[in-house]
Amino acid sequence: NNILGKRGEDSISNVLSESLDDRYTYIRNYKMSFWGDIDGILVGPSGVTILEVKYYSPKSFEILNGVFYRVDKNKFKRIGRKPFWQIDQQKRYLVRVFNEQNINQPYIRTLIVLAHGHLIKIFGKTHTYVVEKDKLLEQLGRDINDRFSKEYVERVVSILNK
């Protein structure tokens, strides 16, 4: 549902704008040339973070080997792999963009954010962080360090804003 998706993206944008300083730039709905968009890209001295925002109805979820399952009264319903597939494609796209612009590839991490819903447990490897909205800043804080200069960050942002 696009309305719920936008609501989720708005809530994540608000959290980031209220919490991060001016060394960080959050780009919403970055259009990719071949399909769709990236919900959010956070660029700062610690690198680039791709955010795939999900606003699922107020349900609980478990992830087993990269597959989302909705948990309702101890019953499991398979949601699928789409969020992981989406974010993998988005990262590949950004790597290509940076390579085409002859920019040393910044550290790119991927993050699926549940703007609504509760994550019970992750079983197996996902190669992508998955967090609830209220744990987003904590997760981002685990990797905040100044890997890149202000000039480098500005260059990355200018490439993404073309």
Side-chain angles (χ1 to χ4, degrees), residues 2-158:
N2 288 337
I3 294 171
L4 293 179
K6 184 176 179 336
R7 184 181 298 163
E9 291 171 19
D10 289 346
S11 71
I12 298 307
S13 180
N14 290 339
V15 166
L16 294 174
S17 66
E18 293 169 2
S19 305
L20 297 176
D21 61 39
D22 63 355
R23 298 176 304 149
Y24 291 86
T25 300
Y26 187 59
I27 300 167
R28 288 183 64 174
N29 303 112
Y30 178 80
K31 301 292 181 218
M32 296 187 295
S33 62
F34 59 93
W35 60 265
D37 68 352
I38 298 173
D39 291 340
I41 303 172
L42 181 63
V43 183
S46 57
V48 174
T49 303
I50 299 170
L51 287 90
E52 178 61 32
V53 179
K54 295 298 178 192
Y55 190 104
Y56 292 127
S57 61
K59 300 286 184 182
S60 296
F61 297 90
E62 289 193 3
I63 299 169
L64 174 60
N65 296 322
V67 178
F68 270 84
Y69 289 88
R70 185 174 66 213
V71 181
D72 191 16
K73 298 178 186 170
N74 292 327
K75 294 181 182 176
F76 291 81
K77 179 176 181 188
R78 186 177 198 270
I79 303 285
R81 295 182 185 273
K82 189 173 181 192
F84 295 105
W85 178 85
Q86 284 176 298
I87 211 158
D88 286 343
Q89 297 301 312
Q90 294 164 356
K91 183 175 181 179
R92 285 188 188 111
Y93 182 81
L94 283 188
V95 166
R96 192 173 76 228
V97 167
F98 294 136
N99 287 339
E100 288 172 356
Q101 295 296 317
N102 294 319
I103 190 166
N104 293 335
Q105 183 179 327
Y107 172 70
I108 300 175
R109 69 177 165 173
T110 55
L111 188 58
I112 296 171
V113 184
L114 297 177
H116 198 67
H118 172 66
L119 181 62
I120 298 172
K121 184 129 177 109
I122 298 175
F123 299 94
K125 293 186 178 186
T126 63
H127 306 287
T128 292
Y129 294 107
V130 181
V131 296
E132 297 169 4
K133 175 180 138 179
D134 64 348
K135 294 185 174 83
L136 173 61
L137 294 174
E138 177 185 328
Q139 180 63 48
L140 291 172
R142 291 183 181 151
D143 193 37
I144 290 189
N145 59 48
D146 291 347
R147 285 187 179 99
F148 302 106
S149 68
K150 180 180 179 183
E151 294 77 21
Y152 184 82
V153 170
E154 288 171 353
R155 183 166 178 230
V156 169
V157 169
S158 72

